[in-house]
Amino acid sequence: MIKRPIHLSHDFLAEVLDDNSIAVDATMGKGNDTAFLAGLAKKVYAFDVQKEALEKTGERLEGLDISNAQLILDGHENVDQYVTEPIRAAIFNLGYLPTADKSIITKPDTTLLAIEKILERLEVGGRLAVMIYYGHEGGDMEKDAVLDYVSKLDQKSFTAMIYQPLNQINTPPFLVMVEKLS
Ligand SMILES: C[S@@+](CC[C@H](N)C(=O)[O-])C[C@H]1O[C@@H](n2cnc3c(N)ncnc32)[C@H](O)[C@@H]1O
């Protein structure tokens, strides 16, 4: 069966991860991506602004016996204050966490700042995956801001791709993929 965008996001990052790599989960939520990245990388830095996300993810990682993830209660826009090593792979799942406070959503300004900081620190050959959920209020603006930013990246330094359902009703999430070339 054809891959859903969320599955492709994991495959895309898995291709460049190994046990020497540093990975970033910019939007931890319940820790789906944190657990996935931690299984492949040396260390994962995971960010969320909700204490509940850290609690849920902490429990999940403990259950899986995963201990190479640092859970950070802070916005991803401050990624440079925590991650000093070169980054091999990073992921964002934009929007809100369906099972938590739906008013806590990612915002265009902080999302772009975090993407910019992560791309600066990405290793050559490193990759960024951004899952864009935009059905909520403000989601359209954030989608446009990310697409605009990524579309303007210098093609000598980055390759940027999109993977999006075309004939699905409502506002199905889609994936933006970036790879650093130089
Ligand atoms: C769509 S959810 C992420 C889902 C997650 N990947 C998972 O596996 O459950 C988006 C998350 O981003 C978080 N968030 C919102 N603004 C943020 C920010 N500035 N920095 C880091 N996380 C943020 C929200 O609290 C929410 O948990």
Side-chain angles (χ1 to χ4, degrees), residues 157-170:
S157 304
F158 295 97
T159 297
M161 297 278 177
I162 192 168
Y163 184 67
Q164 180 169 28
L166 290 176
N167 63 339
Q168 234 173 293
I169 57 160
N170 299 325

Side-chain angles (χ1 to χ4, degrees), residues 26-30 32-33 48 50 75-77 93-94 96-97:
T27 50
M28 184 191 322
K30 286 192 290 182
N32 247 335
D33 301 316
D48 208 294
Q50 296 191 61
H76 40 226
E77 61 277 15
N93 270 263
L94 302 181
Y96 59 82
L97 190 61

Side-chain angles (χ1 to χ4, degrees), residues 26-50:
T27 50
M28 184 191 322
K30 286 192 290 182
N32 247 335
D33 301 316
T34 308
F36 166 73
L37 295 171
L40 298 169
K42 178 167 87 178
K43 177 163 184 185
V44 181
Y45 293 89
F47 293 83
D48 208 294
V49 289
Q50 296 191 61

